[in-house]
Amino acid sequence: MDMGRESRWEKDAMTVEIVFALVTAIALAAAVFAVALTLTLAFGVSGPAKKSVLVGGALLGAAAGMWRLVRVLLRFDKQHRLGR
């Protein structure tokens, strides 16, 4: 076995961490967008204002999802490098 290669367990752990990061990022993005949607429905916003709030919610959701994705993967990489 080559010493430079990762074991099967390490590859599986990496795959699980990537899937976890993606799922939690999607859930966070959906939750942020749901807040924007709820606000438009609760306050009866319509027309261009509704579109602006929903676009803003989608952008904030995408940004929050990307932040979560990067944060989880960087944390995993840091722990992996430390040997944990």
Side-chain angles (χ1 to χ4, degrees):
M1 187 164 159
D2 189 7
M3 295 299 288
R5 293 188 176 215
E6 297 170 340
S7 70
R8 185 73 197 151
W9 182 87
E10 289 172 323
K11 288 180 182 179
D12 289 345
M14 206 176 312
T15 302
V16 168
E17 197 67 25
I18 290 168
V19 171
F20 172 75
L22 286 171
V23 169
T24 58
I26 290 168
L28 179 62
V32 170
F33 181 75
V35 168
L37 181 62
T38 303
L39 288 174
T40 60
L41 295 174
F43 292 117
V45 178
S46 63
K50 181 177 182 177
K51 184 177 179 182
S52 297
V53 171
L54 292 179
V55 168
L59 290 174
L60 285 175
M66 289 301 297
W67 170 79
R68 175 67 180 167
L69 181 70
V70 169
R71 183 172 168 250
V72 169
L73 293 178
L74 287 177
R75 183 185 67 208
F76 176 76
D77 184 53
K78 181 179 177 183
Q79 289 176 351
H80 181 72
R81 288 180 192 271
L82 293 175
R84 294 182 192 173

